[in-house]
Amino acid sequence: MNTPTRLKDCFAALKQQNRPALVSYLTAGDPDAETSRRLLHGLPEAGVDIIELGMPFSDPMADGPAIQKAALRALEGGQTQVKTLDMVRRFREQNSTTPIVLMGYYNPIYCYGVERFLTEAASAGVDGLIVVDLPPEHDEELCQPAAQHGIDFIRLATPTTDAKRLPKVLSNTSGFIYYVSVAGVTGGSAPTPERLEASVAQLREYTELPIAVGFGIRTAEQAATIGRFSDAVVVGSALVDCIEHASTPDEAVERVHGLVSELAESVRACRTASEPQVC
Amino acid sequence: MNQFVNLPDTNGLFGSFGGRFVAETLMPLILELQDEYAAAKNDPEFQRQLAYFQGDYVGRPSPLYFAERLTEHFGGASIYLKREELNHTGAHKINNCIGQVLLAKQMGKKRIIAETGAGMHGVATATVAARFGLPCVIYMGATDIERQQPNVFRMKLLGAEVIPVTSGTGTLKDAMNEALRDWVTNVDDTFYIIGTVAGPHPYPAMVRDFQAVIGHETRSQMLEKQGRLPDSLVACIGGGSNAMGLFHPFLNDPDVQMIGVEAGGKGVKSGLHAASLNGGTPGVLHGNRTYLLQNEDGQIIDAHSISAGLDYPGIGPEHAWLHEQGRVEYVSATDDEALEAFQICCRQEGIIPALETAHALAEVAKRAPRLPREHLMVVNLSGRGDKDMMSVAHHLGEKFQ
């Protein structure tokens, strides 16, 4: 059954350790069902604290080329919503603590049926949802029903979300808030840390929720810099690129988990390291 | 008696269709656009400028022409053609582009982007961008670029940058995805001129309003010619902007019948078509809820049509609503039927219609013969067919050798 406190417990534990969470993004079914399962199951051991699992969509209009291609690979491999939920179910048989957040677009959920999707997601052990094309203006579609199933609805705040709009974006948001570091698509250029730190500080004035930062974070160094002032660092396109550039499934698993380990090491050290340039 | 014309509601909904299903990055801009557009609608100076450009630049009003030979050919209803193909750039598309570029100027935007399928909206956008001195980027599917070379060249002549889209399947829907990605990245200075009555609110209503000049003119022209309203209106539908423009001013006239013609491709049963209402299901794409071509898992399926301008797996949300209300009848015409009607129009009236428009004429061919001469039928001749010479030559090649 669903434990709606998994995200809360995770952030509480990390606060004790005085370090940010490492959040990884991979697309379910990329590059194929079996490799995707291996990738998913190895993430906690490689150092991921929170897992974002993408539900592939044919028209991912908020994603850059890396995640677009990942979605295509997954769909060509026959990935479906049923299979994605099943991946979570099988993962939960072995891991009852690492939070899983499903990320994607509304249409596959809408076509699956919102009630059916939420019921199955809750029983599979999904902790949260990030649905890019559902702004607060459409909260009655999925956000409010999700809360009734004990699933957090995690909203994106962006550089264009001004102070006037922020309260609306934060209302009904739970789990954490995802700050999109640049106006743009996933995998875009990295933001300057100074501007980012100011934005995160501004966001903190409006919310007690943990703040994750993502979009454009590719290296251990960037993760460390951003992890100093945020509660979680999200890395997606860089991991997905590892899959694209691997010539065999084994190599994909090795590369992804390898990069995760590097990132995990740097977020663990970033608030305690003595050498400022390392962070 | 305004049951059909006071929508969308404040959330941009036509019943359950429409809405604003976009990323948060775009929301503040979309809300600003909504306010700016609402203000422009009631701003006499904006309306004066719009009327000026519609007249002296676009060439409006377009004639309502009694197609005597086509009427005789089909031997039934009296057929009138609303000559939108005579507009500057050769289609109805510019009605909307002029309106949106004026809004872009008013909002201080410095750059124009657009998606295009057949290239008509791309050409119209490149045209107004040139006229107002704004840099312009057009996203066009790589597949479409290949089959619409003359329009690609026209856009370049007009100073636009045409970016081929290879992601997804390289057609109109992918061009729209790419334009949305550009917009989200350059949200501060860029205005996205959407070409049809789709996308997030306020686009479906705004594009409809700019296109409604077609219906308003038709109304007064028919009253002048025949002293009464037409009995039926026929228009082709991809996203549905020319149809919505013609239909909207008549929605509350219960005696005016309206028929929207979707692209049936190889036949709706074949699966190779672009008929979202006749062969699709409700879903959410490109910022709005509407009927879509999709599989059971909510993945979008490619549309198919001989006409690149109708080759879109969705339809404007207001059409989805009018379909469910039963106010407008939505039918389809196949590639072959459209080609046949295309030739009849060329031979009988000396007018080469766009392949998109030929779908509407194909419905006229089915319907007109069964009706009496007193029946006044208006067909939106939404575009001219010069751009389609290569496709038509390809399909009719043998016949003309």
Side-chain angles (χ1 to χ4, degrees), chain A residues 56 58-61 63 68 80-81 107 110-111 138 141 158 160 165, chain B residues 20-21 24-25 28 167 173 177 181 283-284 289 294 297-300:
Chain A
S58 53
D59 294 77
M61 62 206 182
D63 283 299
Q68 288 173 40
T80 60
Q81 291 289 88
N107 197 48
Y110 178 72
C111 289
H138 286 296
E141 297 273 341
T158 74
T160 60
R165 185 165 167 79
Chain B
R20 288 178 283 223
F21 296 90
E24 174 57 28
T25 312
S167 61
K173 82 173 174 73
N177 289 333
R181 291 180 187 121
V284 174
R289 176 164 27 225
Q294 56 185 337
D297 218 38
Q299 308 297 339
I300 307 306

PDB file of all heavy atoms in Angstrom, chain A residues 56 58-61 63 68 80-81 107 110-111 138 141 158 160 165, chain B residues 20-21 24-25 28 167 173 177 181 283-284 289 294 297-300:
ATOM      1  N   PRO A  56       6.416   8.020 -20.775  1.00  0.00           N
ATOM      2  CA  PRO A  56       6.689   8.539 -22.115  1.00  0.00           C
ATOM      3  C   PRO A  56       5.427   9.033 -22.819  1.00  0.00           C
ATOM      4  O   PRO A  56       4.354   8.457 -22.648  1.00  0.00           O
ATOM      5  CB  PRO A  56       7.280   7.331 -22.848  1.00  0.00           C
ATOM      6  CG  PRO A  56       6.871   6.134 -22.065  1.00  0.00           C
ATOM      7  CD  PRO A  56       6.734   6.591 -20.652  1.00  0.00           C
ATOM      8  N   SER A  58       4.154  10.840 -26.726  1.00  0.00           N
ATOM      9  CA  SER A  58       4.555  11.057 -28.121  1.00  0.00           C
ATOM     10  C   SER A  58       4.894  12.514 -28.424  1.00  0.00           C
ATOM     11  O   SER A  58       5.635  12.794 -29.352  1.00  0.00           O
ATOM     12  CB  SER A  58       3.422  10.605 -29.053  1.00  0.00           C
ATOM     13  OG  SER A  58       2.202  11.234 -28.678  1.00  0.00           O
ATOM     14  N   ASP A  59       4.340  13.453 -27.657  1.00  0.00           N
ATOM     15  CA  ASP A  59       4.515  14.871 -27.959  1.00  0.00           C
ATOM     16  C   ASP A  59       4.983  15.666 -26.735  1.00  0.00           C
ATOM     17  O   ASP A  59       4.247  16.513 -26.219  1.00  0.00           O
ATOM     18  CB  ASP A  59       3.216  15.451 -28.516  1.00  0.00           C
ATOM     19  CG  ASP A  59       2.884  14.840 -29.861  1.00  0.00           C
ATOM     20  OD1 ASP A  59       2.409  13.683 -29.892  1.00  0.00           O
ATOM     21  OD2 ASP A  59       3.138  15.496 -30.883  1.00  0.00           O
ATOM     22  N   PRO A  60       6.220  15.389 -26.299  1.00  0.00           N
ATOM     23  CA  PRO A  60       6.715  16.016 -25.065  1.00  0.00           C
ATOM     24  C   PRO A  60       7.187  17.453 -25.287  1.00  0.00           C
ATOM     25  O   PRO A  60       8.360  17.728 -25.420  1.00  0.00           O
ATOM     26  CB  PRO A  60       7.883  15.106 -24.664  1.00  0.00           C
ATOM     27  CG  PRO A  60       8.377  14.548 -25.953  1.00  0.00           C
ATOM     28  CD  PRO A  60       7.229  14.501 -26.909  1.00  0.00           C
ATOM     29  N   MET A  61       6.223  18.389 -25.294  1.00  0.00           N
ATOM     30  CA  MET A  61       6.539  19.750 -25.752  1.00  0.00           C
ATOM     31  C   MET A  61       7.344  20.576 -24.754  1.00  0.00           C
ATOM     32  O   MET A  61       7.798  21.655 -25.106  1.00  0.00           O
ATOM     33  CB  MET A  61       5.271  20.469 -26.163  1.00  0.00           C
ATOM     34  CG  MET A  61       4.301  20.638 -25.041  1.00  0.00           C
ATOM     35  SD  MET A  61       2.639  20.770 -25.660  1.00  0.00           S
ATOM     36  CE  MET A  61       1.781  21.009 -24.112  1.00  0.00           C
ATOM     37  N   ASP A  63      10.046  19.212 -23.306  1.00  0.00           N
ATOM     38  CA  ASP A  63      11.333  18.533 -23.211  1.00  0.00           C
ATOM     39  C   ASP A  63      12.250  18.846 -24.377  1.00  0.00           C
ATOM     40  O   ASP A  63      11.804  19.043 -25.503  1.00  0.00           O
ATOM     41  CB  ASP A  63      11.116  17.016 -23.131  1.00  0.00           C
ATOM     42  CG  ASP A  63      10.659  16.594 -21.753  1.00  0.00           C
ATOM     43  OD1 ASP A  63      11.419  16.821 -20.796  1.00  0.00           O
ATOM     44  OD2 ASP A  63       9.537  16.069 -21.625  1.00  0.00           O
ATOM     45  N   GLN A  68      13.111  13.866 -25.440  1.00  0.00           N
ATOM     46  CA  GLN A  68      12.235  13.529 -26.580  1.00  0.00           C
ATOM     47  C   GLN A  68      12.625  12.170 -27.156  1.00  0.00           C
ATOM     48  O   GLN A  68      11.782  11.313 -27.417  1.00  0.00           O
ATOM     49  CB  GLN A  68      12.383  14.550 -27.704  1.00  0.00           C
ATOM     50  CG  GLN A  68      11.787  15.910 -27.449  1.00  0.00           C
ATOM     51  CD  GLN A  68      12.154  16.881 -28.577  1.00  0.00           C
ATOM     52  OE1 GLN A  68      12.168  16.522 -29.737  1.00  0.00           O
ATOM     53  NE2 GLN A  68      12.462  18.109 -28.227  1.00  0.00           N
ATOM     54  N   THR A  80       3.929   1.257 -22.076  1.00  0.00           N
ATOM     55  CA  THR A  80       2.569   1.770 -21.885  1.00  0.00           C
ATOM     56  C   THR A  80       2.419   2.233 -20.439  1.00  0.00           C
ATOM     57  O   THR A  80       3.289   1.973 -19.605  1.00  0.00           O
ATOM     58  CB  THR A  80       1.523   0.665 -22.128  1.00  0.00           C
ATOM     59  OG1 THR A  80       1.773  -0.397 -21.196  1.00  0.00           O
ATOM     60  CG2 THR A  80       1.585   0.116 -23.547  1.00  0.00           C
ATOM     61  N   GLN A  81       1.301   2.867 -20.145  1.00  0.00           N
ATOM     62  CA  GLN A  81       1.028   3.298 -18.772  1.00  0.00           C
ATOM     63  C   GLN A  81       0.962   2.084 -17.842  1.00  0.00           C
ATOM     64  O   GLN A  81       1.447   2.143 -16.718  1.00  0.00           O
ATOM     65  CB  GLN A  81      -0.297   4.071 -18.715  1.00  0.00           C
ATOM     66  CG  GLN A  81      -0.270   5.436 -19.397  1.00  0.00           C
ATOM     67  CD  GLN A  81       0.568   6.450 -18.629  1.00  0.00           C
ATOM     68  OE1 GLN A  81       1.779   6.558 -18.828  1.00  0.00           O
ATOM     69  NE2 GLN A  81      -0.072   7.197 -17.753  1.00  0.00           N
ATOM     70  N   ASN A 107      -2.098  13.897 -21.086  1.00  0.00           N
ATOM     71  CA  ASN A 107      -2.944  13.083 -21.961  1.00  0.00           C
ATOM     72  C   ASN A 107      -2.921  11.571 -21.681  1.00  0.00           C
ATOM     73  O   ASN A 107      -3.978  10.949 -21.617  1.00  0.00           O
ATOM     74  CB  ASN A 107      -2.641  13.359 -23.441  1.00  0.00           C
ATOM     75  CG  ASN A 107      -3.752  12.865 -24.339  1.00  0.00           C
ATOM     76  OD1 ASN A 107      -4.933  13.132 -24.091  1.00  0.00           O
ATOM     77  ND2 ASN A 107      -3.411  12.101 -25.362  1.00  0.00           N
ATOM     78  N   TYR A 110      -5.051  11.086 -18.671  1.00  0.00           N
ATOM     79  CA  TYR A 110      -6.458  11.387 -18.987  1.00  0.00           C
ATOM     80  C   TYR A 110      -7.096  10.223 -19.750  1.00  0.00           C
ATOM     81  O   TYR A 110      -8.220   9.810 -19.455  1.00  0.00           O
ATOM     82  CB  TYR A 110      -6.507  12.672 -19.803  1.00  0.00           C
ATOM     83  CG  TYR A 110      -7.884  13.082 -20.244  1.00  0.00           C
ATOM     84  CD1 TYR A 110      -8.804  13.588 -19.336  1.00  0.00           C
ATOM     85  CD2 TYR A 110      -8.261  12.964 -21.586  1.00  0.00           C
ATOM     86  CE1 TYR A 110     -10.078  13.963 -19.741  1.00  0.00           C
ATOM     87  CE2 TYR A 110      -9.529  13.334 -22.000  1.00  0.00           C
ATOM     88  CZ  TYR A 110     -10.437  13.834 -21.080  1.00  0.00           C
ATOM     89  OH  TYR A 110     -11.690  14.211 -21.483  1.00  0.00           O
ATOM     90  N   CYS A 111      -6.356   9.690 -20.727  1.00  0.00           N
ATOM     91  CA  CYS A 111      -6.898   8.582 -21.520  1.00  0.00           C
ATOM     92  C   CYS A 111      -6.992   7.296 -20.710  1.00  0.00           C
ATOM     93  O   CYS A 111      -7.861   6.474 -20.949  1.00  0.00           O
ATOM     94  CB  CYS A 111      -6.048   8.354 -22.767  1.00  0.00           C
ATOM     95  SG  CYS A 111      -6.267   9.666 -23.956  1.00  0.00           S
ATOM     96  N   HIS A 138      -6.052  24.278 -13.632  1.00  0.00           N
ATOM     97  CA  HIS A 138      -6.744  23.011 -13.900  1.00  0.00           C
ATOM     98  C   HIS A 138      -6.617  22.023 -12.736  1.00  0.00           C
ATOM     99  O   HIS A 138      -6.610  20.811 -12.942  1.00  0.00           O
ATOM    100  CB  HIS A 138      -6.207  22.379 -15.191  1.00  0.00           C
ATOM    101  CG  HIS A 138      -6.666  23.067 -16.443  1.00  0.00           C
ATOM    102  ND1 HIS A 138      -7.983  23.109 -16.823  1.00  0.00           N
ATOM    103  CD2 HIS A 138      -5.980  23.759 -17.387  1.00  0.00           C
ATOM    104  CE1 HIS A 138      -8.092  23.789 -17.968  1.00  0.00           C
ATOM    105  NE2 HIS A 138      -6.890  24.199 -18.334  1.00  0.00           N
ATOM    106  N   GLU A 141      -8.649  18.765 -12.278  1.00  0.00           N
ATOM    107  CA  GLU A 141      -8.448  17.621 -13.180  1.00  0.00           C
ATOM    108  C   GLU A 141      -7.745  16.457 -12.483  1.00  0.00           C
ATOM    109  O   GLU A 141      -8.188  15.323 -12.559  1.00  0.00           O
ATOM    110  CB  GLU A 141      -7.607  18.033 -14.391  1.00  0.00           C
ATOM    111  CG  GLU A 141      -8.226  19.088 -15.283  1.00  0.00           C
ATOM    112  CD  GLU A 141      -9.144  18.509 -16.357  1.00  0.00           C
ATOM    113  OE1 GLU A 141      -9.026  17.301 -16.650  1.00  0.00           O
ATOM    114  OE2 GLU A 141      -9.984  19.271 -16.879  1.00  0.00           O
ATOM    115  N   THR A 158       8.750  28.604 -12.082  1.00  0.00           N
ATOM    116  CA  THR A 158       9.712  28.935 -13.137  1.00  0.00           C
ATOM    117  C   THR A 158      10.170  30.386 -13.001  1.00  0.00           C
ATOM    118  O   THR A 158       9.597  31.144 -12.221  1.00  0.00           O
ATOM    119  CB  THR A 158       9.063  28.771 -14.528  1.00  0.00           C
ATOM    120  OG1 THR A 158       8.165  29.864 -14.733  1.00  0.00           O
ATOM    121  CG2 THR A 158       8.282  27.461 -14.639  1.00  0.00           C
ATOM    122  N   THR A 160       9.497  32.693 -14.791  1.00  0.00           N
ATOM    123  CA  THR A 160       8.431  33.636 -15.163  1.00  0.00           C
ATOM    124  C   THR A 160       7.319  33.701 -14.109  1.00  0.00           C
ATOM    125  O   THR A 160       6.409  34.503 -14.233  1.00  0.00           O
ATOM    126  CB  THR A 160       7.794  33.249 -16.511  1.00  0.00           C
ATOM    127  OG1 THR A 160       7.245  31.937 -16.408  1.00  0.00           O
ATOM    128  CG2 THR A 160       8.797  33.299 -17.644  1.00  0.00           C
ATOM    129  N   ARG A 165       1.872  35.584  -8.805  1.00  0.00           N
ATOM    130  CA  ARG A 165       1.333  34.285  -9.188  1.00  0.00           C
ATOM    131  C   ARG A 165       1.764  33.150  -8.252  1.00  0.00           C
ATOM    132  O   ARG A 165       1.099  32.116  -8.171  1.00  0.00           O
ATOM    133  CB  ARG A 165       1.787  33.986 -10.620  1.00  0.00           C
ATOM    134  CG  ARG A 165       1.210  32.719 -11.182  1.00  0.00           C
ATOM    135  CD  ARG A 165       1.353  32.591 -12.658  1.00  0.00           C
ATOM    136  NE  ARG A 165       1.043  31.224 -13.046  1.00  0.00           N
ATOM    137  CZ  ARG A 165      -0.189  30.740 -13.159  1.00  0.00           C
ATOM    138  NH1 ARG A 165      -1.222  31.528 -12.951  1.00  0.00           N
ATOM    139  NH2 ARG A 165      -0.390  29.470 -13.481  1.00  0.00           N
TER     140      ARG A 165
ATOM    141  N   ARG B  20      -6.380  25.618 -20.701  1.00  0.00           N
ATOM    142  CA  ARG B  20      -5.016  26.165 -20.779  1.00  0.00           C
ATOM    143  C   ARG B  20      -4.042  25.131 -20.258  1.00  0.00           C
ATOM    144  O   ARG B  20      -3.485  25.280 -19.176  1.00  0.00           O
ATOM    145  CB  ARG B  20      -4.915  27.419 -19.905  1.00  0.00           C
ATOM    146  CG  ARG B  20      -5.625  28.612 -20.457  1.00  0.00           C
ATOM    147  CD  ARG B  20      -5.519  29.784 -19.514  1.00  0.00           C
ATOM    148  NE  ARG B  20      -6.436  29.626 -18.408  1.00  0.00           N
ATOM    149  CZ  ARG B  20      -7.199  30.614 -17.916  1.00  0.00           C
ATOM    150  NH1 ARG B  20      -7.121  31.826 -18.409  1.00  0.00           N
ATOM    151  NH2 ARG B  20      -8.003  30.394 -16.906  1.00  0.00           N
ATOM    152  N   PHE B  21      -3.855  24.059 -20.998  1.00  0.00           N
ATOM    153  CA  PHE B  21      -2.997  22.971 -20.541  1.00  0.00           C
ATOM    154  C   PHE B  21      -1.565  23.221 -21.012  1.00  0.00           C
ATOM    155  O   PHE B  21      -1.100  22.618 -21.973  1.00  0.00           O
ATOM    156  CB  PHE B  21      -3.528  21.637 -21.070  1.00  0.00           C
ATOM    157  CG  PHE B  21      -4.893  21.284 -20.527  1.00  0.00           C
ATOM    158  CD1 PHE B  21      -6.043  21.689 -21.182  1.00  0.00           C
ATOM    159  CD2 PHE B  21      -5.025  20.561 -19.352  1.00  0.00           C
ATOM    160  CE1 PHE B  21      -7.301  21.371 -20.685  1.00  0.00           C
ATOM    161  CE2 PHE B  21      -6.271  20.242 -18.841  1.00  0.00           C
ATOM    162  CZ  PHE B  21      -7.416  20.646 -19.502  1.00  0.00           C
ATOM    163  N   GLU B  24       4.002  25.812 -16.771  1.00  0.00           N
ATOM    164  CA  GLU B  24       3.927  26.997 -15.916  1.00  0.00           C
ATOM    165  C   GLU B  24       4.686  28.191 -16.512  1.00  0.00           C
ATOM    166  O   GLU B  24       4.242  29.337 -16.401  1.00  0.00           O
ATOM    167  CB  GLU B  24       4.468  26.656 -14.525  1.00  0.00           C
ATOM    168  CG  GLU B  24       4.584  27.817 -13.559  1.00  0.00           C
ATOM    169  CD  GLU B  24       3.274  28.559 -13.310  1.00  0.00           C
ATOM    170  OE1 GLU B  24       2.195  27.936 -13.415  1.00  0.00           O
ATOM    171  OE2 GLU B  24       3.322  29.765 -13.024  1.00  0.00           O
ATOM    172  N   THR B  25       5.806  27.916 -17.176  1.00  0.00           N
ATOM    173  CA  THR B  25       6.596  29.011 -17.757  1.00  0.00           C
ATOM    174  C   THR B  25       5.739  29.901 -18.649  1.00  0.00           C
ATOM    175  O   THR B  25       5.947  31.108 -18.720  1.00  0.00           O
ATOM    176  CB  THR B  25       7.771  28.437 -18.591  1.00  0.00           C
ATOM    177  OG1 THR B  25       8.427  27.448 -17.806  1.00  0.00           O
ATOM    178  CG2 THR B  25       8.760  29.509 -18.972  1.00  0.00           C
ATOM    179  N   PRO B  28       2.065  32.854 -17.112  1.00  0.00           N
ATOM    180  CA  PRO B  28       1.963  34.307 -16.922  1.00  0.00           C
ATOM    181  C   PRO B  28       1.761  35.042 -18.248  1.00  0.00           C
ATOM    182  O   PRO B  28       0.953  35.969 -18.342  1.00  0.00           O
ATOM    183  CB  PRO B  28       3.305  34.674 -16.277  1.00  0.00           C
ATOM    184  CG  PRO B  28       3.767  33.409 -15.622  1.00  0.00           C
ATOM    185  CD  PRO B  28       3.301  32.301 -16.532  1.00  0.00           C
ATOM    186  N   SER B 167      11.992  16.210 -35.385  1.00  0.00           N
ATOM    187  CA  SER B 167      11.573  15.428 -34.217  1.00  0.00           C
ATOM    188  C   SER B 167      10.211  14.816 -34.481  1.00  0.00           C
ATOM    189  O   SER B 167       9.462  15.289 -35.330  1.00  0.00           O
ATOM    190  CB  SER B 167      11.523  16.309 -32.974  1.00  0.00           C
ATOM    191  OG  SER B 167      10.591  17.343 -33.141  1.00  0.00           O
ATOM    192  N   LYS B 173       2.101  18.689 -36.308  1.00  0.00           N
ATOM    193  CA  LYS B 173       2.044  18.592 -34.846  1.00  0.00           C
ATOM    194  C   LYS B 173       3.432  18.751 -34.228  1.00  0.00           C
ATOM    195  O   LYS B 173       3.572  19.360 -33.169  1.00  0.00           O
ATOM    196  CB  LYS B 173       1.386  17.284 -34.400  1.00  0.00           C
ATOM    197  CG  LYS B 173       2.307  16.073 -34.393  1.00  0.00           C
ATOM    198  CD  LYS B 173       1.637  14.847 -33.767  1.00  0.00           C
ATOM    199  CE  LYS B 173       2.496  13.597 -33.883  1.00  0.00           C
ATOM    200  NZ  LYS B 173       3.669  13.579 -32.995  1.00  0.00           N
ATOM    201  N   ASN B 177       4.905  21.506 -31.632  1.00  0.00           N
ATOM    202  CA  ASN B 177       5.694  21.192 -30.430  1.00  0.00           C
ATOM    203  C   ASN B 177       6.954  22.052 -30.384  1.00  0.00           C
ATOM    204  O   ASN B 177       7.320  22.592 -29.357  1.00  0.00           O
ATOM    205  CB  ASN B 177       6.118  19.719 -30.419  1.00  0.00           C
ATOM    206  CG  ASN B 177       4.955  18.787 -30.160  1.00  0.00           C
ATOM    207  OD1 ASN B 177       3.975  19.159 -29.515  1.00  0.00           O
ATOM    208  ND2 ASN B 177       5.049  17.563 -30.656  1.00  0.00           N
ATOM    209  N   ARG B 181       8.290  24.888 -27.812  1.00  0.00           N
ATOM    210  CA  ARG B 181       9.591  24.817 -27.126  1.00  0.00           C
ATOM    211  C   ARG B 181      10.360  26.122 -27.299  1.00  0.00           C
ATOM    212  O   ARG B 181      11.018  26.598 -26.372  1.00  0.00           O
ATOM    213  CB  ARG B 181      10.412  23.639 -27.664  1.00  0.00           C
ATOM    214  CG  ARG B 181       9.837  22.293 -27.276  1.00  0.00           C
ATOM    215  CD  ARG B 181      10.672  21.126 -27.818  1.00  0.00           C
ATOM    216  NE  ARG B 181       9.978  19.875 -27.561  1.00  0.00           N
ATOM    217  CZ  ARG B 181       9.590  19.008 -28.495  1.00  0.00           C
ATOM    218  NH1 ARG B 181       9.876  19.229 -29.765  1.00  0.00           N
ATOM    219  NH2 ARG B 181       8.935  17.922 -28.166  1.00  0.00           N
ATOM    220  N   GLY B 283      -8.997  14.204 -25.831  1.00  0.00           N
ATOM    221  CA  GLY B 283      -7.690  14.146 -25.176  1.00  0.00           C
ATOM    222  C   GLY B 283      -7.145  15.558 -25.000  1.00  0.00           C
ATOM    223  O   GLY B 283      -7.836  16.533 -25.306  1.00  0.00           O
ATOM    224  N   VAL B 284      -5.911  15.642 -24.515  1.00  0.00           N
ATOM    225  CA  VAL B 284      -5.301  16.947 -24.249  1.00  0.00           C
ATOM    226  C   VAL B 284      -3.984  17.053 -25.006  1.00  0.00           C
ATOM    227  O   VAL B 284      -3.086  16.230 -24.809  1.00  0.00           O
ATOM    228  CB  VAL B 284      -5.049  17.144 -22.738  1.00  0.00           C
ATOM    229  CG1 VAL B 284      -4.283  18.436 -22.482  1.00  0.00           C
ATOM    230  CG2 VAL B 284      -6.372  17.151 -21.972  1.00  0.00           C
ATOM    231  N   ARG B 289      -8.044  20.785 -24.555  1.00  0.00           N
ATOM    232  CA  ARG B 289      -8.711  19.486 -24.635  1.00  0.00           C
ATOM    233  C   ARG B 289      -9.629  19.515 -25.843  1.00  0.00           C
ATOM    234  O   ARG B 289     -10.396  20.466 -26.038  1.00  0.00           O
ATOM    235  CB  ARG B 289      -9.520  19.201 -23.380  1.00  0.00           C
ATOM    236  CG  ARG B 289     -10.296  17.882 -23.510  1.00  0.00           C
ATOM    237  CD  ARG B 289     -10.828  17.315 -22.212  1.00  0.00           C
ATOM    238  NE  ARG B 289     -11.081  18.301 -21.211  1.00  0.00           N
ATOM    239  CZ  ARG B 289     -10.722  18.166 -19.931  1.00  0.00           C
ATOM    240  NH1 ARG B 289     -10.109  17.082 -19.526  1.00  0.00           N
ATOM    241  NH2 ARG B 289     -10.989  19.109 -19.070  1.00  0.00           N
ATOM    242  N   GLN B 294      -5.520   9.345 -31.556  1.00  0.00           N
ATOM    243  CA  GLN B 294      -4.601   8.799 -30.558  1.00  0.00           C
ATOM    244  C   GLN B 294      -4.911   7.330 -30.335  1.00  0.00           C
ATOM    245  O   GLN B 294      -6.002   6.861 -30.651  1.00  0.00           O
ATOM    246  CB  GLN B 294      -4.742   9.573 -29.252  1.00  0.00           C
ATOM    247  CG  GLN B 294      -6.172   9.597 -28.719  1.00  0.00           C
ATOM    248  CD  GLN B 294      -6.324  10.477 -27.474  1.00  0.00           C
ATOM    249  OE1 GLN B 294      -5.360  10.728 -26.779  1.00  0.00           O
ATOM    250  NE2 GLN B 294      -7.537  10.921 -27.205  1.00  0.00           N
ATOM    251  N   ASP B 297      -3.567   4.363 -25.340  1.00  0.00           N
ATOM    252  CA  ASP B 297      -2.677   4.787 -24.274  1.00  0.00           C
ATOM    253  C   ASP B 297      -2.425   6.304 -24.296  1.00  0.00           C
ATOM    254  O   ASP B 297      -1.542   6.797 -23.603  1.00  0.00           O
ATOM    255  CB  ASP B 297      -1.349   4.029 -24.393  1.00  0.00           C
ATOM    256  CG  ASP B 297      -0.787   3.669 -23.023  1.00  0.00           C
ATOM    257  OD1 ASP B 297      -1.581   3.318 -22.133  1.00  0.00           O
ATOM    258  OD2 ASP B 297       0.438   3.762 -22.840  1.00  0.00           O
ATOM    259  N   GLY B 298      -3.195   7.015 -25.117  1.00  0.00           N
ATOM    260  CA  GLY B 298      -3.048   8.465 -25.152  1.00  0.00           C
ATOM    261  C   GLY B 298      -1.824   8.949 -25.915  1.00  0.00           C
ATOM    262  O   GLY B 298      -1.370  10.073 -25.715  1.00  0.00           O
ATOM    263  N   GLN B 299      -1.279   8.093 -26.778  1.00  0.00           N
ATOM    264  CA  GLN B 299      -0.170   8.536 -27.641  1.00  0.00           C
ATOM    265  C   GLN B 299      -0.775   9.016 -28.965  1.00  0.00           C
ATOM    266  O   GLN B 299      -1.655   8.361 -29.516  1.00  0.00           O
ATOM    267  CB  GLN B 299       0.823   7.390 -27.895  1.00  0.00           C
ATOM    268  CG  GLN B 299       1.323   6.705 -26.621  1.00  0.00           C
ATOM    269  CD  GLN B 299       2.109   7.638 -25.690  1.00  0.00           C
ATOM    270  OE1 GLN B 299       2.624   8.681 -26.115  1.00  0.00           O
ATOM    271  NE2 GLN B 299       2.189   7.272 -24.425  1.00  0.00           N
ATOM    272  N   ILE B 300      -0.271  10.159 -29.436  1.00  0.00           N
ATOM    273  CA  ILE B 300      -0.860  10.781 -30.616  1.00  0.00           C
ATOM    274  C   ILE B 300      -0.459   9.995 -31.867  1.00  0.00           C
ATOM    275  O   ILE B 300       0.696   9.606 -32.031  1.00  0.00           O
ATOM    276  CB  ILE B 300      -0.407  12.254 -30.743  1.00  0.00           C
ATOM    277  CG1 ILE B 300      -0.681  13.007 -29.427  1.00  0.00           C
ATOM    278  CG2 ILE B 300      -1.098  12.933 -31.915  1.00  0.00           C
ATOM    279  CD1 ILE B 300      -2.097  12.937 -28.906  1.00  0.00           C
TER     280      ILE B 300
END
